[in-house]
């Protein structure tokens, strides 16, 4: 199910990008070659950044979190939690119940 939502989100993002490209040319803000070069440069830059983060920074993240600066910035390593939103939701819900019991 998670893969379906990722695919849908990716398709929506790509459709929005194409619509923006078409509108830029239609409104004559850019030429088609400018839009094409922007798409190429954006794709290459995004791919390089993704590779740097995945290959270099992700393996070092536990060390970064335990560093003094990481502790000062209160960084957390959530890479091992598969669904962070559900984890946060359930954690906050149980904390709210615990505090409500203490009040009563």
């Amino acid at each position: 199910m998670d893969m379906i939502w990722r695919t849908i989100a990716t398709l929506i993002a790509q459709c929005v990008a194409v619509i923006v490209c078409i509108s830029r040319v239609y409104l004559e803000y850019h030429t088609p070659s400018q839009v094409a070069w922007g798409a190429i440069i954006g794709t290459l830059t995004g791919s390089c950044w993704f590779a740097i983060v995945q290959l270099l920074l992700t393996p070092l993240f536990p060390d970064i979190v335990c560093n003094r600066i990481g502790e000062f910035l209160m960084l957390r390593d959530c890479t091992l939690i598969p669904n962070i939103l559900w984890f946060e939701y359930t954690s906050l819900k149980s904390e709210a119940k615990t505090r409500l019991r203490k009040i009563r």
Side-chain angles (χ1 to χ4, degrees):
M1 191 66 167
D2 189 42
M3 192 62 172
I4 293 171
W5 286 112
R6 285 185 185 187
T7 304
I8 291 171
T10 302
L11 289 174
I12 290 171
Q14 289 175 350
C15 288
V16 169
V18 168
I19 290 169
V20 168
C21 290
I22 292 169
S23 72
R24 291 317 221 162
V25 174
Y26 177 76
L27 295 172
E28 297 180 357
Y29 291 135
H30 297 289
T31 62
S33 65
Q34 289 174 329
V35 171
W37 277 108
I40 291 168
I41 292 170
T43 301
L44 289 175
T45 305
S47 298
C48 289
W49 179 251
F50 179 79
I52 289 169
V53 169
Q54 285 297 99
L55 300 175
L56 297 177
L57 296 180
T58 301
L60 295 175
F61 195 70
D63 296 330
I64 294 170
V65 170
C66 295
N67 192 333
R68 277 185 169 175
I69 296 172
E71 290 177 358
F72 176 75
L73 296 173
M74 296 184 195
L75 298 177
R76 296 179 295 171
D77 184 10
C78 300
T79 55
L80 299 176
I81 301 172
N83 190 343
I84 190 70
L85 290 176
W86 183 252
F87 174 77
E88 290 283 337
Y89 172 74
T90 55
S91 297
L92 291 173
K93 191 174 179 181
S94 66
E95 180 68 23
K97 283 183 182 178
T98 303
R99 289 181 183 219
L100 188 61
R101 279 188 228 135
K102 288 181 181 179
I103 292 174
R104 290 181 184 179

